[in-house]
mmCIF file of all heavy atoms in Angstrom:
data_model
loop_
_atom_site.group_PDB
_atom_site.id
_atom_site.type_symbol
_atom_site.label_atom_id
_atom_site.label_comp_id
_atom_site.label_asym_id
_atom_site.label_seq_id
_atom_site.Cartn_x
_atom_site.Cartn_y
_atom_site.Cartn_z
ATOM 1 N N ARG A 33 -18.645 -15.277 -19.863
ATOM 2 C CA ARG A 33 -18.818 -13.794 -19.436
ATOM 3 C C ARG A 33 -19.475 -12.954 -20.476
ATOM 4 O O ARG A 33 -20.114 -11.971 -20.240
ATOM 5 C CB ARG A 33 -17.563 -13.276 -19.092
ATOM 6 C CG ARG A 33 -17.431 -11.886 -18.459
ATOM 7 C CD ARG A 33 -15.987 -11.429 -18.211
ATOM 8 N NE ARG A 33 -15.383 -11.896 -17.051
ATOM 9 C CZ ARG A 33 -14.621 -12.940 -17.038
ATOM 10 N NH1 ARG A 33 -14.158 -13.368 -18.116
ATOM 11 N NH2 ARG A 33 -14.094 -13.387 -15.978
ATOM 12 N N GLU A 34 -19.418 -13.421 -21.840
ATOM 13 C CA GLU A 34 -19.855 -12.628 -22.906
ATOM 14 C C GLU A 34 -21.405 -12.919 -23.167
ATOM 15 O O GLU A 34 -21.992 -12.104 -23.919
ATOM 16 C CB GLU A 34 -19.046 -12.931 -24.129
ATOM 17 C CG GLU A 34 -17.521 -12.661 -24.009
ATOM 18 C CD GLU A 34 -17.107 -11.343 -23.466
ATOM 19 O OE1 GLU A 34 -17.657 -10.378 -23.773
ATOM 20 O OE2 GLU A 34 -16.119 -11.291 -22.645
ATOM 21 N N ALA A 35 -21.969 -14.042 -22.734
ATOM 22 C CA ALA A 35 -23.212 -14.437 -23.066
ATOM 23 C C ALA A 35 -24.226 -13.520 -22.513
ATOM 24 O O ALA A 35 -24.387 -13.263 -21.389
ATOM 25 C CB ALA A 35 -23.454 -15.882 -22.785
ATOM 26 N N PRO A 36 -25.296 -13.130 -23.448
ATOM 27 C CA PRO A 36 -26.264 -12.152 -22.846
ATOM 28 C C PRO A 36 -27.141 -12.791 -21.732
ATOM 29 O O PRO A 36 -27.551 -12.204 -20.839
ATOM 30 C CB PRO A 36 -27.237 -11.902 -24.095
ATOM 31 C CG PRO A 36 -26.243 -12.169 -25.255
ATOM 32 C CD PRO A 36 -25.232 -13.261 -24.838
ATOM 33 N N ASP A 37 -27.355 -14.096 -21.853
ATOM 34 C CA ASP A 37 -28.289 -14.778 -20.762
ATOM 35 C C ASP A 37 -27.478 -14.778 -19.482
ATOM 36 O O ASP A 37 -28.008 -14.757 -18.397
ATOM 37 C CB ASP A 37 -28.742 -16.189 -21.153
ATOM 38 C CG ASP A 37 -27.703 -17.120 -21.638
ATOM 39 O OD1 ASP A 37 -26.473 -16.647 -21.875
ATOM 40 O OD2 ASP A 37 -28.062 -18.318 -21.788
ATOM 41 N N VAL A 38 -26.074 -14.909 -19.551
ATOM 42 C CA VAL A 38 -25.430 -14.880 -18.278
ATOM 43 C C VAL A 38 -25.349 -13.505 -17.632
ATOM 44 O O VAL A 38 -25.688 -13.387 -16.337
ATOM 45 C CB VAL A 38 -23.862 -15.328 -18.548
ATOM 46 C CG1 VAL A 38 -23.053 -14.991 -17.256
ATOM 47 C CG2 VAL A 38 -23.718 -16.686 -18.973
ATOM 48 N N ILE A 39 -25.319 -12.510 -18.448
ATOM 49 C CA ILE A 39 -25.354 -11.078 -17.954
ATOM 50 C C ILE A 39 -26.713 -10.857 -17.447
ATOM 51 O O ILE A 39 -26.908 -10.163 -16.349
ATOM 52 C CB ILE A 39 -24.920 -10.035 -18.958
ATOM 53 C CG1 ILE A 39 -23.441 -10.293 -19.445
ATOM 54 C CG2 ILE A 39 -25.200 -8.619 -18.481
ATOM 55 C CD1 ILE A 39 -22.484 -10.143 -18.406
ATOM 56 N N ASP A 40 -27.834 -11.368 -18.065
ATOM 57 C CA ASP A 40 -29.079 -11.125 -17.702
ATOM 58 C C ASP A 40 -29.336 -11.761 -16.252
ATOM 59 O O ASP A 40 -29.978 -11.096 -15.408
ATOM 60 C CB ASP A 40 -30.094 -11.753 -18.721
ATOM 61 C CG ASP A 40 -30.241 -10.930 -19.978
ATOM 62 O OD1 ASP A 40 -29.748 -9.705 -19.891
ATOM 63 O OD2 ASP A 40 -30.776 -11.402 -20.904
ATOM 64 N N TYR A 41 -28.750 -12.998 -16.119
ATOM 65 C CA TYR A 41 -28.839 -13.631 -14.835
ATOM 66 C C TYR A 41 -28.233 -12.898 -13.719
ATOM 67 O O TYR A 41 -28.886 -12.748 -12.540
ATOM 68 C CB TYR A 41 -28.387 -15.155 -14.863
ATOM 69 C CG TYR A 41 -28.354 -15.772 -13.505
ATOM 70 C CD1 TYR A 41 -29.625 -16.057 -12.893
ATOM 71 C CD2 TYR A 41 -27.134 -15.916 -12.900
ATOM 72 C CE1 TYR A 41 -29.529 -16.710 -11.574
ATOM 73 C CE2 TYR A 41 -27.122 -16.554 -11.668
ATOM 74 C CZ TYR A 41 -28.298 -16.805 -11.082
ATOM 75 O OH TYR A 41 -28.339 -17.491 -9.752
ATOM 76 N N LEU A 42 -27.019 -12.349 -13.905
ATOM 77 C CA LEU A 42 -26.286 -11.676 -12.875
ATOM 78 C C LEU A 42 -27.046 -10.361 -12.588
ATOM 79 O O LEU A 42 -27.056 -9.996 -11.408
ATOM 80 C CB LEU A 42 -24.977 -11.362 -13.368
ATOM 81 C CG LEU A 42 -23.964 -12.626 -13.669
ATOM 82 C CD1 LEU A 42 -22.629 -12.153 -14.069
ATOM 83 C CD2 LEU A 42 -23.863 -13.382 -12.292
ATOM 84 N N ASN A 43 -27.625 -9.691 -13.638
ATOM 85 C CA ASN A 43 -28.419 -8.532 -13.353
ATOM 86 C C ASN A 43 -29.685 -8.832 -12.647
ATOM 87 O O ASN A 43 -30.036 -7.946 -11.633
ATOM 88 C CB ASN A 43 -28.801 -7.805 -14.601
ATOM 89 C CG ASN A 43 -27.510 -7.122 -15.181
ATOM 90 O OD1 ASN A 43 -26.657 -6.523 -14.573
ATOM 91 N ND2 ASN A 43 -27.483 -7.019 -16.533
ATOM 92 N N ALA A 44 -30.308 -9.865 -12.797
ATOM 93 C CA ALA A 44 -31.478 -10.314 -12.114
ATOM 94 C C ALA A 44 -31.218 -10.578 -10.680
ATOM 95 O O ALA A 44 -31.903 -10.090 -9.796
ATOM 96 C CB ALA A 44 -32.178 -11.402 -12.820
ATOM 97 N N GLU A 45 -30.053 -11.249 -10.362
ATOM 98 C CA GLU A 45 -29.664 -11.390 -9.032
ATOM 99 C C GLU A 45 -29.410 -10.105 -8.271
ATOM 100 O O GLU A 45 -29.709 -9.997 -7.113
ATOM 101 C CB GLU A 45 -28.360 -12.339 -9.010
ATOM 102 C CG GLU A 45 -28.692 -13.778 -9.265
ATOM 103 C CD GLU A 45 -29.210 -14.548 -8.010
ATOM 104 O OE1 GLU A 45 -29.692 -13.815 -6.992
ATOM 105 O OE2 GLU A 45 -29.638 -15.746 -8.244
ATOM 106 N N ASN A 46 -28.796 -9.104 -9.052
ATOM 107 C CA ASN A 46 -28.455 -7.890 -8.386
ATOM 108 C C ASN A 46 -29.687 -7.120 -8.140
ATOM 109 O O ASN A 46 -29.837 -6.470 -6.994
ATOM 110 C CB ASN A 46 -27.576 -7.034 -9.429
ATOM 111 C CG ASN A 46 -26.178 -7.361 -9.251
ATOM 112 O OD1 ASN A 46 -25.711 -8.083 -8.460
ATOM 113 N ND2 ASN A 46 -25.311 -6.789 -10.092
ATOM 114 N N ALA A 47 -30.648 -7.275 -9.044
ATOM 115 C CA ALA A 47 -32.017 -6.496 -8.727
ATOM 116 C C ALA A 47 -32.761 -7.167 -7.547
ATOM 117 O O ALA A 47 -33.366 -6.464 -6.740
ATOM 118 C CB ALA A 47 -32.808 -6.669 -10.103
ATOM 119 N N TYR A 48 -32.519 -8.402 -7.422
ATOM 120 C CA TYR A 48 -33.175 -9.129 -6.329
ATOM 121 C C TYR A 48 -32.549 -8.736 -5.041
ATOM 122 O O TYR A 48 -33.319 -8.474 -4.049
ATOM 123 C CB TYR A 48 -33.086 -10.626 -6.562
ATOM 124 C CG TYR A 48 -33.683 -11.413 -5.439
ATOM 125 C CD1 TYR A 48 -35.199 -11.461 -5.120
ATOM 126 C CD2 TYR A 48 -32.881 -12.223 -4.509
ATOM 127 C CE1 TYR A 48 -35.594 -12.241 -4.084
ATOM 128 C CE2 TYR A 48 -33.453 -12.886 -3.509
ATOM 129 C CZ TYR A 48 -34.772 -12.951 -3.398
ATOM 130 O OH TYR A 48 -35.294 -13.574 -2.257
ATOM 131 N N THR A 49 -31.242 -8.685 -4.995
ATOM 132 C CA THR A 49 -30.538 -8.225 -3.728
ATOM 133 C C THR A 49 -30.940 -6.856 -3.381
ATOM 134 O O THR A 49 -31.225 -6.520 -2.255
ATOM 135 C CB THR A 49 -29.030 -8.327 -4.065
ATOM 136 O OG1 THR A 49 -28.558 -9.601 -4.287
ATOM 137 C CG2 THR A 49 -28.184 -7.765 -2.712
#
Side-chain angles (χ1 to χ4, degrees):
R33 190 181 282 101
E34 311 300 325
D37 55 348
V38 171
I39 299 299
D40 288 347
Y41 171 69
L42 296 176
N43 283 331
E45 285 284 3
N46 279 352
Y48 178 68
T49 296

